[in-house]
Amino acid sequence: MPTNDEQKFSLKRRSVCASGVGLATLGPLGLAGCGGGDKVDPPLPAASAAAMGSMTGQQAAVGARRFVHPGLLHTQDDFTRMRTKVAENAQPWASGFARLTSNGRAQLGARPRALQTVIRGGPGENFAQMYIDIARTYQLALRWKVTGNKDYADLAVVFLNAWSSTMTAINGDTNAALAAGIYGYQWANAAEIMRTYPGWAAPDLARFQALMLNVFYEANHRFLVNHNGAKITNYWANWDQCNLASMLAIGVLCDRPDIYDEALGYYKSGTENGASSQAVYYLHPGYLGQWQESGRDQGHCTLGIGLASVFCEMAWNQGDDLYGYDNNRFLAGAEYVAKSNLQDATGAFYGVPFASYRNSHYFTASLALGAQGHHRPVWELIHNHYVNRKGLAAPYTAMMAKLLGPEGDGNNGDQLGFGTLTFSRDPVKPGAAPSGLSAIWSGRQMVLSWWGSAGASSYTVKRATVRGGPYTTVKSGITDLLSYTDSELASGVYYYVVTAQGPAGESAASGEAKGYAGVHAHTRLPMNQTTGTTATDSSGNGRNASLVNGPAWVAGRSGARALAFDGVDDYLSLPQDALADLSDFTIAAWVYWDGGRNWARVFDFGLGTMHYMMLTPCANDGLMRFAVTTNHGIGEQTISGTAALPTGQWVHVAVTLSGRTGTLYVNGAPVGSNPDIRHAPFRLGATSQNWIGRSQYESDPYFNGKIADFCIFRGALSQGSVATLLSGQPGSAVESPVSLDPNTGESIGVQQRSTFCEV
């Protein structure tokens, strides 16, 4: 089990070199090593080697996917729009084109300065020579597409051919990985534009594709697999994201679906910092998505936003919507970073909420003020997708785009620039309904968040007690943060919708969100069966658990039944996404632990060693521990007891979370608490490994003992109500805490009699 020094991670890795970062040299066939040149990378797994395929540019088996060309940052429809708008002298395209034509790198007459070996970081650094030539190639390609003047196309081809016939390696310290990522995706975009030009000979295109595969993709792949041998959270999001962008772009340019899908899969479900759920670390109310590097400095935040946006746009142009992935998670991050770097009318920076963040070498509890107010020309792409393409509101992104427009070149090679020309779109018709409404019971209040509509001036929240209404208005005139907290609710189930007010009046209602106030049954596994391979959920919610590898039905406490786990390989598995909409909660069970090694699990719900929530009878410090994390072991938020779970006897254990306050109980008495548990179960995402008796970590022992009456409640039971769970015999009729005050968690009267643990 990991501790705060992150002893474990999901991939086996060697320790970092020297100072803990690890020097590396990226060559045409891989990473040379740390310090003395020893290899830091183990041989590639067979599956990874197969995914890499031939490094000669030969296309792998295509399968069902067919790529659109040109189809990276710009499609042919995009170029048609640019040409038409510039010819009409329409704004803002005309001013964006003027920024391009006035740039020194967009002119005829320059000659390439191709290098055999590009060095970024360390002695002999020369990478600026390459990014200047990339900028020239890209800008010449744009001028050709907008004007039709082949002189620009011919010169762009000269640059592409010079580099593909000369360059063989990227070297340097660890920063060589940044060069492989940033300049890889930029070169691929310039080449993707030019591939449709008849004046670029097919053998020359093939040679350029070979350069991208043999040097850039090879380096991208090795970095993402091995991260220079570093711990899993060592490299910040932008390191992964530039390499993902390069990999995705090379997949399209070289017609390699395997490479494209490798990047896509990593972004959606990877375990390192550049994956979607790791880059946008924490969603605050109103879908303000705290960026992973927001406690580091604002320059790196805007870099990460720029890199993630080009990744999303390139995938969009191939039919994959990563902009909308996980309820527009990237937009949440973009809005947070934009707001962090904007000033209000008084000149003060806008305030944003902040959740503490820890990785393998850094901890921060507040927003970084370093480089605050950082302006980077990356916002037009994001604004035009979400607002003018999809009709969503993105107020802070829009403010950034307006502030920086018309966008010019790319800030010393970090991005390609000229987004006003290339990404501007005519606005959509206003009046769309809000979307993405959620209702989360947290801290005994219902917290609503939603996505706004382009052109809306305010929003109205409506509530009902039956599905579909009728609804009563509870709040109108909501502006700015798209969130509302509904307080002082009686225990029950509520249904919410939100409408937008705009130029044409009130919009249609959003989709309906269901919220549970107070305490409600979620899952109950009495484990009172005698046979079968399924532990039946008696709550009525259908969350039956599967017996895996043969846990045995045995006698339990006081004549009831239980499940016995052998400590070798058996466990219970609950359905996927078992905790997907759970915030405040109570988990309770009767446990008979036979002892054994540390880090066994009473339960462990998650999707691997990146996101999980667990309870162990004994951690390395000799204490019972609850932990939840969305950032591997290093990011655990914990509650420790005062001792290990007693062995050889039935013990009742419970964990509650109310808002941020988590409490651990043994036999009805609190034994530990933490007032800053921010990772409620719903923040774990789509959990696929929801286990009783087994850990997310393969090396941890399985649970050895018996478990009975495993219950999950929506809402946090009070101490008195937790004690009530101990008052009756299993299966007997006892008073149930079914009616609890949603503001205090205390019983307000017994409305029915029920079997033990049911509410």
Side-chain angles (χ1 to χ4, degrees):
M1 175 64 212
T3 58
N4 281 343
D5 60 1
E6 199 174 279
Q7 297 171 0
K8 295 183 180 179
F9 15 92
S10 61
L11 296 178
K12 293 182 179 179
R13 303 176 182 279
R14 301 185 185 181
S15 60
V16 291
C17 309
S19 64
V21 176
L23 302 180
T25 301
L26 292 162
L29 295 177
L31 285 169
C34 303
D38 294 333
K39 290 284 186 180
V40 297
D41 297 330
L44 289 176
S48 296
M52 288 182 72
S54 169
M55 288 301 176
T56 65
Q58 181 179 0
Q59 180 178 341
V62 174
R65 186 183 288 278
R66 295 291 188 275
F67 290 117
V68 175
H69 297 297
L72 289 177
L73 284 175
H74 319 299
T75 66
Q76 188 54 49
D77 286 345
D78 294 331
F79 289 123
T80 299
R81 181 184 66 250
M82 295 177 218
R83 178 180 291 194
T84 300
K85 294 293 189 179
V86 169
E88 295 172 347
N89 200 33
Q91 295 295 352
W93 296 269
S95 59
F97 186 61
R99 289 297 301 270
L100 173 66
T101 57
S102 64
N103 192 282
R105 294 172 183 170
Q107 311 306 317
L108 298 173
R111 307 306 299 172
R113 299 184 299 156
L115 297 166
Q116 182 176 6
T117 300
V118 173
I119 301 171
R120 178 164 179 168
E125 197 170 63
N126 60 7
F127 69 98
Q129 196 164 317
M130 180 168 68
Y131 76 62
I132 290 171
D133 274 9
I134 294 173
R136 285 174 172 151
T137 309
Y138 175 73
Q139 292 173 36
L140 291 166
L142 286 183
R143 291 197 72 168
W144 165 57
K145 278 293 192 179
V146 174
T147 66
N149 186 334
K150 294 182 179 180
D151 291 342
Y152 298 107
D154 289 337
L155 186 53
V157 167
V158 169
F159 277 85
L160 292 167
N161 288 345
W163 280 88
S164 66
S165 61
T166 304
M167 184 179 176
T168 60
I170 304 172
N171 288 340
D173 60 18
T174 53
N175 288 282
L178 294 176
I182 295 173
Y183 310 130
Y185 95 78
Q186 292 179 358
W187 268 132
N189 268 275
E192 180 71 7
I193 297 172
M194 296 309 303
R195 72 182 300 152
T196 60
Y197 180 51
W200 195 15
D204 292 337
L205 169 60
R207 186 176 65 241
F208 194 88
Q209 290 170 323
L211 168 67
M212 301 308 294
L213 287 167
N214 294 343
V215 176
F216 288 91
Y217 166 67
E218 187 274 344
N220 304 147
H221 173 85
R222 285 186 178 269
F223 178 78
L224 291 173
V225 168
N226 293 293
H227 289 86
N228 294 339
K231 291 181 179 180
I232 202 165
T233 63
N234 184 74
Y235 285 95
W236 295 94
N238 69 84
W239 290 74
D240 277 5
Q241 287 172 335
C242 68
N243 282 280
L244 288 172
S246 179
M247 186 181 288
L248 193 86
I250 291 168
V252 174
L253 177 69
C254 299
D255 288 299
R256 289 285 297 271
D258 56 325
I259 294 175
Y260 178 93
D261 289 340
E262 184 181 353
L264 209 66
Y266 189 111
Y267 183 78
K268 289 183 174 181
S269 56
T271 57
E272 280 83 349
N273 284 338
S276 170
S277 66
Q278 301 305 98
V280 183
Y281 165 68
Y282 189 90
L283 292 178
H284 296 277
Y287 298 140
L288 275 179
Q290 183 176 318
W291 194 252
Q292 180 195 105
E293 299 182 73
S294 289
R296 182 188 183 194
D297 67 77
Q298 297 307 311
H300 282 100
C301 289
T302 58
L303 174 61
I305 291 295
L307 292 168
S309 68
V310 299
F311 185 81
C312 291
E313 181 68 11
M314 293 187 297
W316 174 271
N317 285 332
Q318 296 300 331
D320 292 300
D321 184 8
L322 299 183
Y323 282 116
Y325 179 69
D326 195 10
N327 190 22
N328 302 309
R329 193 176 187 96
F330 173 63
L331 175 57
E335 283 289 280
Y336 186 96
V337 172
K339 187 174 184 179
S340 301
N341 288 280
L342 285 166
Q343 294 165 285
D344 63 21
T346 70
F349 285 104
Y350 288 104
V352 291
F354 194 89
S356 60
Y357 174 79
R358 184 188 301 276
N359 62 23
S360 60
H361 58 83
Y362 193 87
F363 173 80
T364 182
S366 61
L367 182 76
L369 304 181
Q372 191 172 23
H374 194 270
H375 295 159
R376 188 182 292 272
V378 298
W379 299 99
E380 287 280 22
L381 170 55
I382 306 164
H383 168 255
N384 277 281
H385 173 79
Y386 285 110
V387 179
N388 292 340
R389 187 189 263 159
K390 299 301 292 182
L392 297 175
Y396 296 103
T397 297
M399 290 169 65
M400 268 292 191
K402 183 178 180 180
L403 178 67
L404 299 180
E407 287 181 353
D409 62 18
N411 273 15
N412 296 323
D414 282 348
Q415 50 275 317
L416 291 167
F418 302 102
T420 303
L421 168 65
T422 56
F423 302 122
S424 290
R425 296 174 174 274
D426 289 319
V428 298
K429 183 179 179 180
S435 58
L437 177 63
S438 63
I440 299 295
W441 183 249
S442 178
R444 302 189 177 108
Q445 302 177 106
M446 198 72 74
V447 181
L448 308 180
S449 297
W450 62 91
W451 290 112
S453 310
S457 58
S458 67
Y459 300 88
T460 299
V461 173
K462 302 178 181 182
R463 182 182 65 212
T465 55
V466 295
R467 185 183 301 275
Y471 301 100
T472 300
T473 296
V474 294
K475 182 67 174 179
S476 60
I478 299 172
T479 60
D480 193 26
L481 186 65
L482 303 186
S483 179
Y484 177 71
T485 300
D486 199 4
S487 303
E488 299 181 0
L489 292 170
S491 182
V493 180
Y494 297 90
Y495 301 88
Y496 295 89
V497 295
V498 177
T499 60
Q501 303 295 322
E506 186 175 29
S507 74
S510 68
E512 188 178 68
K514 182 180 182 180
Y516 296 83
V519 177
H520 300 262
H522 181 280
T523 302
R524 184 214 173 186
L525 304 175
M527 302 182 191
N528 57 7
Q529 298 158 240
T530 57
T531 61
T533 59
T534 299
T536 303
D537 175 17
S538 65
S539 73
N541 294 318
R543 296 186 180 91
N544 300 328
S546 299
L547 280 64
V548 182
N549 297 328
W553 298 105
V554 297
R557 52 181 291 273
S558 303
R561 305 290 294 172
L563 264 180
F565 301 84
D566 62 10
V568 177
D569 65 354
D570 52 18
Y571 61 98
L572 268 180
S573 180
L574 275 73
Q576 183 165 331
D577 299 336
L579 308 181
D581 62 349
L582 202 61
S583 185
D584 283 7
F585 72 87
T586 302
I587 297 178
W590 284 97
V591 179
Y592 190 107
W593 186 39
D594 287 329
R597 294 189 293 131
N598 298 340
W599 298 122
R601 296 291 196 273
V602 176
F603 64 82
D604 196 332
F605 302 137
L607 46 79
T609 59
M610 179 173 65
H611 292 186
Y612 58 84
M613 182 176 77
M614 68 83 174
L615 178 65
T616 180
C618 187
N620 276 348
D621 57 7
L623 305 177
M624 187 178 180
R625 180 185 296 180
F626 167 82
V628 59
T629 183
T630 61
N631 190 34
H632 305 277
I634 196 70
E636 282 188 351
Q637 298 175 349
T638 64
I639 311 170
S640 292
T642 56
L645 186 72
T647 60
Q649 59 185 283
W650 282 105
V651 180
H652 190 266
V653 297
V655 182
T656 67
L657 180 67
S658 177
R660 297 180 187 174
T661 300
T663 306
L664 178 63
Y665 295 87
V666 173
N667 288 330
V671 295
S673 66
N674 185 337
D676 195 28
I677 300 287
R678 290 178 176 263
H679 299 313
F682 77 92
R683 298 185 184 278
L684 300 178
T687 58
S688 56
Q689 299 177 168
N690 301 306
W691 295 330
I692 297 173
R694 178 182 175 182
S695 169
Q696 304 293 326
Y697 289 88
E698 292 183 1
S699 60
D700 285 341
Y702 286 72
F703 179 79
N704 183 26
K706 298 183 283 288
I707 297 176
D709 294 308
F710 189 94
C711 304
I712 304 174
F713 301 95
R714 299 180 184 275
L717 292 174
S718 68
Q719 180 179 349
S721 294
V722 169
T724 301
L725 299 179
L726 284 72
S727 63
Q729 297 298 317
S732 66
V734 297
E735 292 188 342
S736 165
V738 64
S739 182
L740 298 178
D741 187 318
N743 297 306
T744 67
E746 298 289 352
S747 174
I748 56 175
V750 178
Q751 295 182 348
Q752 65 182 39
R753 297 179 69 80
S754 174
T755 56
F756 176 76
C757 209
E758 287 182 337
V759 272

